[in-house]
């Protein structure tokens, strides 16, 4: 993470503390949350809200840094190794605690255990991970992902797979930016779906994953996009709302069309907003 420092208020990756709390648990939840996410930093010596730089007394700097390091390494499981450094702002010293994204998720507070001690970062707040998010973090820690998990009770035939391959190829062609790109798109194959984790091959049988269920809009596994227009900024009153219940590759375009119907400002997009399948196909075909 870049060791630059600009004070713009708390966010998903930044938190401020006026001083180093005696009770390390007051910031340890955020340490765990940063490790479970994209990483982040805690800046000690800045008043949250006002962003007033108060600094950390020079005489306490190294003692405080040792205390922070010990608290992080002793309180978290798996162990988190922090990166600490000092920066001068407005002639005052700040302690910067940086946490890199973890590779052994989920990270949690030892005293509370994984169920009650796993935290995530949402916008500028730290929250306890619920059961679904905890399961997702467990899969990430094993280098697995939800959409690649098998659904043994969902049946799939080669005819179904061929139809999906053709549909995805046609979607890519439809959203190609030029005739040259369109001509370079080849028909998908079962092997490509297997390599992407959409299907799993086991003893000559094809097992669908959640990705396959979302792409084919199978009953019982519908991904849904919710769109709404609110009357006021507090979002208390709906003017209009729509639930887009369709195969996931169609939802982007339908949500985009909804925005165009309701928005009062203009915008221009160059090319298509649907890129994912086209990029997959160009990569698979070597173009």
């Amino acid at each position: 993470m870049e060791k630059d420092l600009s004070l713009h208020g708390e966010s998903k990756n930044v938190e401020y503390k006026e001083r180093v709390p005696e009770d390390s648990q007051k910031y340890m939840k955020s340490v765990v949350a940063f490790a479970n996410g994209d990483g982040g930093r805690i800046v000690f010596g800045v008043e949250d809200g006002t962003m007033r730089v108060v600094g950390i007394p020079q005489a306490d700097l190294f003692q405080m840094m040792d205390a922070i390091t010990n608290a992080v390494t002793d309180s978290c499981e798996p162990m988190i190794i922090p990166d600490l450094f000092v920066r001068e702002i407005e002639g005052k010293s700040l302690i910067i605690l940086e946490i890199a994204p973890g590779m052994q998720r989920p990270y949690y507070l030892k005293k509370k255990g994984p169920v009650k001690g796993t935290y995530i970062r949402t916008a500028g707040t730290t929250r306890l991970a619920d059961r679904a998010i905890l399961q997702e973090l467990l899969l990430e820690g094993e280098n697995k992902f939800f959409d690649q998990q098998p659904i043994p009770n969902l049946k799939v035939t080669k005819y179904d797979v061929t139809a999906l391959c053709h549909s995805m190829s046609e979607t890519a062609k439809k959203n190609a930016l030029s005739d040259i790109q369109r001509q370079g798109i080849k028909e998908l194959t079962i092997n490509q779906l297997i390599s992407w984790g959409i299907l799993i091959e086991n003893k000559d049988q094809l097992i669908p994953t959640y990705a396959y269920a979302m792409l084919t809009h199978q009953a019982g596994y519908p991904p849904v996009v919710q769109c709404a227009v609110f009357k006021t900024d507090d979002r208390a009153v709906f003017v209009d709302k729509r639930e887009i219940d369709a195969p996931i590759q169609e939802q982007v375009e339908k949500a985009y069309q909804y925005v165009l119907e309701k928005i009062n400002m203009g915008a221009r997009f160059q090319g298509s907003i649907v890129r994912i399948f086209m990029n997959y196909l160009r990569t698979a075909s070597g173009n």
Side-chain angles (χ1 to χ4, degrees):
M1 191 176 295
E2 292 287 337
K3 288 184 172 56
D4 62 326
L5 186 62
S6 51
L7 308 180
H8 296 303
E10 292 193 339
S11 66
K12 182 179 179 181
N13 305 101
V14 181
E15 184 170 294
Y16 298 98
K17 298 289 183 186
E18 184 176 349
R19 58 182 57 86
V20 180
E22 292 185 10
D23 181 3
S24 63
Q25 296 301 304
K26 291 184 177 181
Y27 62 90
M28 210 54 59
K29 294 177 182 179
S30 295
V31 169
V32 165
F34 288 145
N36 283 326
D38 299 327
R41 62 166 45 143
I42 301 176
V43 182
F44 297 98
V46 176
E47 191 176 68
D48 181 29
T50 66
M51 305 306 297
R52 183 172 65 92
V53 177
V54 297
I56 303 295
Q58 285 282 343
D60 298 335
L61 276 178
F62 295 107
Q63 180 182 352
M64 291 294 181
M65 292 177 73
D66 286 343
I68 293 169
T69 300
N70 291 335
V72 173
T73 55
D74 293 344
S75 301
C76 306
E77 185 76 27
M79 182 183 289
I80 296 174
I81 306 299
D83 183 14
L84 270 80
F85 57 96
V86 176
R87 278 295 164 88
E88 300 291 328
I89 299 289
E90 300 177 8
K92 298 175 181 178
S93 298
L94 306 181
I95 297 176
I96 317 299
L97 167 62
E98 286 200 343
I99 303 297
M103 303 298 291
Q104 296 177 284
R105 301 175 183 179
Y107 292 84
Y108 56 90
L109 300 179
K110 282 183 183 180
K111 289 184 178 180
K112 295 189 174 184
V115 175
K116 296 183 178 180
T118 300
Y119 293 86
I120 59 168
R121 192 77 174 171
T122 304
T125 62
T126 298
R127 299 183 180 183
L128 184 68
D130 62 19
R131 184 179 299 179
I133 293 176
L134 180 57
Q135 181 62 34
E136 200 170 306
L137 290 170
L138 284 165
L139 291 172
E140 288 180 11
E142 297 174 358
N143 200 27
K144 298 178 181 178
F145 300 92
F146 168 78
D147 58 353
Q148 295 179 344
Q149 299 309 298
I151 311 178
N153 61 331
L154 182 63
K155 304 301 180 184
V156 59
T157 66
K158 287 192 176 182
Y159 174 82
D160 296 330
V161 175
T162 301
L164 176 60
C165 288
H166 179 71
S167 172
M168 292 173 67
S169 298
E170 290 302 308
T171 299
K173 291 175 183 177
K174 175 184 175 182
N175 293 286
L177 299 179
S178 65
D179 289 338
I180 294 177
Q181 287 185 350
R182 191 173 295 107
Q183 292 169 5
I185 295 172
K186 309 299 182 183
E187 282 292 320
L188 279 175
T189 66
I190 292 178
N191 287 337
Q192 286 168 336
L193 296 187
I194 293 172
S195 70
W196 294 341
I198 296 174
L199 293 170
I200 298 172
E201 190 174 32
N202 182 30
K203 298 179 180 179
D204 297 328
Q205 288 187 332
L206 293 176
I207 301 175
T209 64
Y210 283 94
Y212 177 88
M214 290 186 287
L215 288 167
T216 56
H217 201 233
Q218 296 288 310
Y221 309 101
V224 174
V225 172
Q226 294 178 325
C227 302
V229 177
F230 298 93
K231 187 174 183 178
T232 56
D233 291 341
D234 62 9
R235 303 181 183 181
V237 180
F238 285 102
V239 174
D240 183 75
K241 59 181 178 180
R242 185 177 303 170
E243 199 170 80
I244 300 175
D245 187 9
I248 196 169
Q249 65 270 36
E250 297 178 15
Q251 290 185 11
V252 175
E253 183 64 32
K254 290 185 176 182
Y256 173 57
Q257 292 302 323
Y258 179 84
V259 172
L260 292 183
E261 291 175 15
K262 305 299 179 182
I263 197 168
N264 294 321
M265 298 177 64
R268 177 176 296 176
F269 292 86
Q270 181 176 2
S272 169
I273 62 169
V274 181
R275 302 290 180 88
I276 185 66
F277 299 114
M278 182 183 66
N279 289 338
Y280 274 160
L281 293 176
R282 286 212 307 271
T283 301
S285 61
N287 293 315

